[in-house]
Amino acid sequence: MPNLEEQIDITAPGDVVWDHLHQVEDYPRFVGGVREARREGASGLHMDLEAKGGAVRGIDASTDDLRPNETMTWRTADTPHLSGSVSLLPIDASHTRVQVRMEYDPTEAHDAFGGPKGFAQSSAIERTVREDLHHFKDLVEQAHPGR
């Protein structure tokens, strides 16, 4: 399965970034294709995502705070099988590097959501994750200006 790693630097302290990362209801504001997201229990979440042909597909996942305020892992409960982690690395008191690692099967992603196949699907996923990180950065920095 391909692995993806992306990172971005955010002008905000790690605890602020961590809090935003855990506000699941805000995922539609920065994760492409997510129409709705909600917590289910202590470590579960459900997201309604746009799929091929404009359909909506529900995905359930579990999260685990491996190291609170530092690393969160996640894994989907069913296909498409997606898993990964988000790590926060302090740069200084007011800047945090967000590092995303993800493992996925491009064929399962294509079957679930449509889009290109093979290498082109991997490129599209990488582009989407980069865009999502930029949207997340904007969300955090706009909510906490001057930090």
Side-chain angles (χ1 to χ4, degrees), residues 119-133:
F119 179 74
Q121 177 74 359
S122 295
S123 294
I125 290 170
E126 290 172 11
R127 185 174 48 256
T128 298
V129 170
R130 272 193 303 275
E131 290 170 0
D132 292 349
L133 280 172

Side-chain angles (χ1 to χ4, degrees), residues 2 25 28 58 65 78 84 86 97 112 122 131:
E25 66 280 357
D65 291 343
D78 204 356
V86 180
R97 178 162 294 141
S122 295
E131 290 170 0

Side-chain angles (χ1 to χ4, degrees), residues 14-118:
D15 61 333
V16 168
V17 176
W18 186 258
D19 288 344
H20 278 279
L21 182 62
H22 284 74
Q23 293 175 15
V24 173
E25 66 280 357
D26 283 343
Y27 284 15
R29 295 177 63 191
F30 66 89
V31 180
V34 174
R35 289 188 176 179
E36 182 182 344
R38 65 182 178 276
R39 275 271 172 222
E40 292 192 341
S43 64
L45 67 97
H46 177 85
M47 294 186 293
D48 289 328
L49 300 139
E50 294 174 19
K52 52 186 163 184
V56 175
R57 178 186 175 105
I59 289 191
D60 294 312
S62 60
T63 63
D64 183 31
D65 291 343
L66 217 53
R67 290 184 299 273
N69 286 319
E70 192 176 318
T71 303
M72 178 183 81
T73 61
W74 56 272
R75 175 177 304 281
T76 58
D78 204 356
T79 58
H81 294 101
L82 308 167
S83 63
S85 65
V86 180
S87 297
L88 306 184
L89 309 165
I91 297 170
D92 59 32
S94 59
H95 296 87
T96 304
R97 178 162 294 141
V98 176
Q99 184 176 56
V100 174
R101 291 187 173 121
M102 189 169 112
E103 187 174 291
Y104 63 96
D105 181 322
T107 302
E108 284 185 6
H110 169 75
D111 292 346
F113 305 114
K117 291 186 176 183

